[in-house]
Every structure is written in C-alpha cells, then in structure tokens.
Amino acid sequence: MSLTTKITQAVADELNKHDFSVAFNAVYSVKPGFELAELDVLRVVVVPKSLEIDRISRSSMKYTANIDIGIMQRIGKLTPEEAVECLGELVDEISEFLQEKTLENFPEATFAGITNDPIYIPEHLTSNRTFTSVLTVKYMMMS
C-alpha cells in the first residue's frame, strides 16, 4: 500500500470514529463520482491528491502528502444560502477536528495544514442544487 493510500485511509478512519453535528460515512476513493440521485445523502469522500518528497540531508527525506476531502450533498428544499450556512459549518467542524487529531492508524504523519478551496462551488448550487466543498489536508513525515 502506498504512503498516500495509507494516510488517506487513516484520515477516513478518523472521520468515521468521530461524532459530528451531521452524521456521515467518510469513504476512501481513488475515483470519486456520483449521480445526482446519490447525493440526496451527504457524501464525504477522502482522496489522495499529491505527494512531495524533499531531501533534507544525505540521509533524511521529508514527505508531504496532500489529501482531499470532498463534502457533497443535494440541498433539497434549502435555499443556497441556507445550504452554505449549514453544510459550511460541517466543513469547518471537520477542519477543526483534523487540526487537533493524530491519525491513530498512521501516527507518524503529522498534521501540517489545511485549505478549504473551494469553500463551495456556486455553479453546483445553481445548476444542480448541490453543495460541494473541498478540504485539502497536508500531512508531513520524516525519514
């Protein structure tokens, strides 16, 4: 199993162990994609994004793994503003949780940062009535 796969699965595992304000099941995926009908249920998908390897010295390397977490759901009867408010709070909750959490299944990976980009995709709200947000979490390891 590759380094990014191990970290990605560990992130999904941590999310599934925690009780968030909105219930969901985080899933590791290499090829996320859903039909609109599948998004009637909140989907949280954890995907490996990138791996950077930097030489620190002759005998040590720094590995930086970036993991994307997609948060998606059709907004139903909510207005786009209500959906952004409600699901945006969940995105913030996930972000805050990961900042403070050591990955139990991969403790050698140290949290290094998080980005929420896009905060939400306006086109998805208007054309598909779907909330879509992406968190990119950065973990570092030394060897």
Side-chain angles (χ1 to χ4, degrees):
M1 187 182 293
S2 74
L3 180 63
T4 54
T5 299
K6 289 177 186 175
I7 296 170
T8 304
Q9 186 61 61
V11 170
D13 292 344
E14 288 301 330
L15 292 173
N16 287 331
K17 291 177 195 171
H18 187 73
D19 289 326
F20 291 95
S21 61
V22 179
F24 62 83
N25 181 43
V27 217
Y28 164 81
S29 179
V30 293
K31 189 180 172 195
F34 298 97
E35 297 294 324
L36 281 178
E38 295 175 289
L39 295 175
D40 287 339
V41 175
L42 176 63
R43 302 287 180 172
V44 176
V45 182
V46 187
V47 180
K49 180 177 183 175
S50 66
L51 177 66
E52 300 170 34
I53 304 171
D54 296 304
R55 181 173 302 282
I56 303 301
S57 68
R58 283 187 183 159
S59 61
S60 65
M61 305 290 274
K62 177 179 84 169
Y63 299 86
T64 306
N66 291 293
I67 310 300
D68 277 348
I69 303 169
I71 298 95
M72 302 161 280
Q73 185 174 24
R74 285 182 61 184
I75 63 174
K77 295 182 182 197
L78 294 175
T79 66
E81 293 79 14
E82 291 169 332
V84 167
E85 179 70 25
C86 175
L87 292 168
E89 286 179 16
L90 175 62
V91 171
D92 291 346
E93 196 177 336
I94 293 170
S95 174
E96 290 166 12
F97 170 74
L98 291 172
Q99 291 173 49
E100 303 298 324
K101 189 69 180 158
T102 299
L103 300 175
E104 186 176 309
N105 294 338
F106 205 87
E108 54 271 35
T110 304
F111 174 86
I114 196 163
T115 304
N116 185 194
D117 183 22
I119 293 173
Y120 63 91
I121 301 174
E123 301 82 38
H124 288 192
L125 282 171
T126 54
S127 64
N128 298 330
R129 297 200 40 81
T130 302
F131 176 87
T132 305
S133 183
V134 178
L135 288 170
T136 301
V137 190
K138 184 185 297 187
Y139 289 94
M140 293 179 15
M141 291 122 319
M142 302 293 281
S143 73

